[in-house]
Amino acid sequence: MRSAVIVNPVKVPDRDVLHRTIVDALTAAGWPEPMWLETTVGDPGSGQARQAVRDGAELVFACGGDGTVMSCVTVLAGTDIALAVLPAGISNLLAASLGLTGDVAAGIEVVLQGGRRRIDVGCVGEQSFAVMAGMGFDVQMLVATNDDTASKPVGWLAWFAGAVRHLRDRPMRIRLILDDRLSFNRRPCAVIVGNAGRLRGGMRLLDDAPPEDGLLDVTVLSPRTLGHWLSPGWAVLRRKEVVPCMETFTASRVEIRSNRVQPRQLDGDPIESGKQLLVTVRPQALLLCVPCPTTDPGVATAGGDPSAIQHRVHRVDKRM
């Protein structure tokens, strides 16, 4: 199988070791030597992924952070070219959802075992994402946890610390429109539109987010005080069915309109701030290399009616 490695050199401490590890493993499996394409400051991976497609790659290794993986997802969505994630540096959101670590050898073994799955991708303009998009202060939380502590078992503590730093931020005033049929107003701190639900540090936010059902899961977070944050944080950590200060919905088209400019992110990578976030879904558009057999709940097979809107209100604190 012809393959290409798209690597962010900034994220890799020793490119020679990485190159040798990948080439040796693929050669031992009878694969030809892969193409080697490095990202640049001006291009985090889109141009390299397009070159890999032009040059006949059947599989692309994305070795970098969230930006590199998202760039590859955008280019490969809608093709039959498989994407393999080799997280470099801090584990990115897609790697976390797959249960992958920064062990390159383990990541290559996942590829060689042959596990493949088609998953949905979310779209915001011309960009695509595999895990989640967000609007509001979740962007600051993700940035705040983008360090070594976030990839450790206690990474949720860093995530919570990031939340505490922004407790005094004004909530947004938004209108949330689902599939052009359901529309309502809210005053949340953040809205997250997800395709899979595991954050850094193993924390799950969207447990009911099967990534191949043609639907997007929407989480509206509305805590106002430290006590409000403690309650949903503890409930999410313990995977409780009832989560205070949080509402969830599902739809295939999600539009968020804010009264003022808000920070936004795709797969943990900040994008240009704006007053609107329009998210659509491309069902089963991405061929992804996954552990075989797949037992992780975050990538479990599940069905769903893409035309249906489901509303699951966990609980809204009436004091807010």
Side-chain angles (χ1 to χ4, degrees):
M1 179 174 286
R2 295 198 65 192
S3 62
V5 179
I6 298 176
V7 59
N8 182 342
V10 176
K11 298 284 187 177
V12 179
D14 194 327
R15 282 174 280 177
D16 291 336
V17 171
L18 175 68
H19 186 275
R20 185 167 59 251
T21 301
I22 294 175
V23 171
D24 288 351
L26 296 184
T27 300
W31 289 32
E33 184 169 339
M35 294 174 269
W36 190 269
L37 305 169
E38 294 191 355
T39 66
T40 65
V41 174
D43 189 343
S46 297
Q48 294 80 358
R50 284 191 290 269
Q51 181 179 337
V53 172
R54 288 195 302 267
D55 292 346
E58 300 168 88
L59 183 144
V60 171
F61 292 93
C63 187
D66 292 311
T68 298
V69 173
M70 186 177 66
S71 295
C72 292
V73 168
T74 297
V75 173
L76 299 182
T79 75
D80 292 324
I81 301 171
L83 173 64
V85 181
L86 297 179
I90 302 305
S91 296
N92 54 62
L93 291 180
L94 181 54
S97 290
L98 294 172
L100 299 177
T101 67
D103 188 332
V104 174
I108 297 172
E109 184 60 28
V110 167
V111 173
L112 296 178
Q113 286 175 354
R116 304 287 187 271
R117 167 161 289 169
R118 282 203 170 273
I119 68 168
D120 305 334
V121 298
C123 300
V124 175
E126 297 182 352
Q127 294 179 285
S128 299
F129 64 91
V131 182
M132 63 180 66
M135 186 172 186
F137 94 123
D138 71 299
V139 181
Q140 287 99 324
M141 286 189 292
L142 288 167
V143 171
T145 57
N146 191 22
D147 54 33
D148 288 337
T149 61
S151 61
K152 296 177 181 178
V154 294
W156 62 269
L157 290 174
W159 188 89
F160 178 73
V164 171
R165 294 172 195 168
H166 296 279
L167 282 176
R168 295 185 180 275
D169 291 359
R170 281 192 303 160
M172 300 185 289
R173 291 182 181 271
I174 67 163
R175 187 157 191 84
L176 184 61
I177 305 169
L178 305 178
D179 286 344
D180 292 324
R181 292 194 289 144
L182 181 63
S183 176
F184 48 88
N185 297 325
R186 287 292 187 272
R187 293 192 64 197
C189 296
V191 181
I192 297 173
V193 183
N195 190 45
R198 181 181 292 178
L199 301 177
R200 292 184 177 95
M203 184 175 179
R204 287 189 175 278
L205 187 61
L206 302 168
D207 277 327
D208 299 321
E212 67 282 274
D213 63 353
L215 291 170
L216 298 164
D217 280 62
V218 185
T219 295
V220 181
L221 294 167
S222 303
R224 297 286 184 270
T225 68
L226 179 59
H228 289 165
W229 270 113
L230 285 171
S231 296
W234 182 245
V236 169
L237 287 171
R238 298 184 67 188
R239 300 187 182 181
K240 295 290 187 179
E241 291 294 327
V242 176
V243 180
C245 309
M246 186 174 96
E247 294 177 277
T248 62
F249 310 83
T250 58
S252 59
R253 184 182 188 275
V254 179
E255 185 176 0
I256 308 163
R257 298 176 183 172
S258 172
N259 65 322
R260 64 181 189 274
V261 173
Q262 300 291 341
R264 306 182 301 170
Q265 60 88 8
L266 300 181
D267 276 353
D269 203 43
I271 61 173
E272 184 180 1
S273 298
K275 290 185 176 181
Q276 182 187 42
L277 187 67
L278 174 61
V279 188
T280 57
V281 63
R282 297 178 64 184
Q284 300 185 22
L286 181 67
L287 183 60
L288 187 64
C289 296
V290 298
C292 186
T294 300
T295 56
D296 189 293
V299 291
T301 301
D305 179 5
S307 65
I309 297 178
Q310 303 170 10
H311 179 195
R312 300 186 300 277
V313 180
H314 293 283
R315 183 163 71 92
V316 179
D317 195 316
K318 299 301 182 182
R319 296 171 295 177
M320 295 189 298

